[in-house]
Amino acid sequence: MRWKERNMFKWNMQQGFTLIEVLAAIVILSIVSLVLTSYFTNAMSYSKSNQNKTIMVNLARNALFYMEKQDFESLSEYFQKDGNEEIECAAADPTVSADPTTEPPAVSACTVFEGIAGDPEVLEKVLNPSINGIDYHIRIVYQRAVYNDLRTSTDPIDIATAEYLLPVEVMVSDVRDTSLVKQTVVEGYITNEEIR
């Protein structure tokens, strides 16, 4: 009986945690929680960045697809014969009143491309889209050096296809990003209707 009493006494003495053990567990749990929180915060930021990049690539492809649907001869003349380097469309100034009685209506800079790249109002929407409340700006830049490389190539296929292709870079940027750090560039070709 004495043996049972001694064991019961030891059992009662060993119940619970000391204050130091509880504090050590809380400190360890806090450190692990901070590391996991920073990991998830970084993952969410990276995911948002990738979402914006995907939107920009899709906008670039959309602009390239739109330009491919325009008259190839007019675009070829605009870039090659007239010596122009890019198609860019400044959005109409929203601060200018569209009321004809007060001020002249807001005019888009796309009117220059009338007949070259379709309807100027549609071109303005294509080159200055707004997605999820974010305004983007798109520039289509002719790659004259790539075209000249195709024309002067030793490969007869390059020379033969050069007259059917206009090499371009489509540059998409967030209007809020004035430093153009997050600009996305997609290279492609505007192809002649004969080979589509």
Side-chain angles (χ1 to χ4, degrees):
M1 185 108 155
R2 196 166 220 169
W3 178 76
K4 283 185 182 180
E5 286 176 7
R6 195 179 319 154
N7 283 340
M8 293 272 259
F9 181 68
K10 283 183 181 178
W11 175 258
N12 288 336
M13 294 291 288
Q14 295 180 359
Q15 284 184 351
F17 296 103
T18 65
L19 182 60
I20 294 176
E21 291 171 334
V22 171
L23 289 175
I26 289 173
V27 167
I28 291 171
L29 186 61
S30 299
I31 292 171
V32 170
S33 297
L34 285 174
V35 169
L36 287 176
T37 302
S38 70
Y39 171 75
F40 286 118
T41 303
N42 288 340
M44 192 169 74
S45 173
Y46 182 73
S47 174
K48 182 68 175 166
S49 172
N50 278 344
Q51 179 185 7
N52 288 340
K53 186 87 164 167
T54 301
I55 288 171
M56 291 172 134
V57 168
N58 286 333
L59 288 173
R61 288 180 181 162
N62 183 43
L64 187 58
F65 181 71
Y66 176 80
M67 295 310 292
E68 258 194 354
K69 294 298 179 188
Q70 305 311 309
D71 181 44
F72 181 81
E73 293 303 320
S74 297
L75 286 169
S76 179
E77 185 175 318
Y78 176 79
F79 285 128
Q80 295 170 352
K81 293 184 180 134
D82 297 344
N84 295 303
E85 296 294 325
E86 66 183 37
I87 294 177
E88 184 174 21
C89 186
D93 187 357
T95 61
V96 177
S97 172
D99 183 6
T101 60
T102 57
E103 293 181 26
V107 177
S108 166
C110 295
T111 53
V112 180
F113 307 113
E114 192 169 347
I116 295 169
D119 183 9
E121 290 178 14
V122 173
L123 182 63
E124 182 179 343
K125 295 292 185 191
V126 169
L127 297 183
N128 294 305
S130 180
I131 308 292
N132 297 333
I134 299 173
D135 294 327
Y136 295 95
H137 182 70
I138 301 173
R139 291 175 49 220
I140 300 170
V141 179
Y142 178 58
Q143 294 181 301
R144 194 173 303 281
V146 174
Y147 178 77
N148 290 336
D149 288 345
L150 285 173
R151 298 285 293 168
T152 59
S153 174
T154 56
D155 185 3
I157 294 175
D158 285 347
I159 296 170
T161 58
E163 64 185 81
Y164 296 104
L165 301 174
L166 291 173
V168 293
E169 281 183 339
V170 182
M171 301 175 180
V172 182
S173 59
D174 185 338
V175 172
R176 300 170 300 177
D177 180 24
T178 56
S179 64
L180 301 179
V181 172
K182 297 177 184 175
Q183 176 174 288
T184 298
V185 178
V186 174
E187 294 184 1
Y189 292 94
I190 299 172
T191 57
N192 193 324
E193 297 91 357
E194 295 177 18
I195 62 170
R196 286 188 207 149

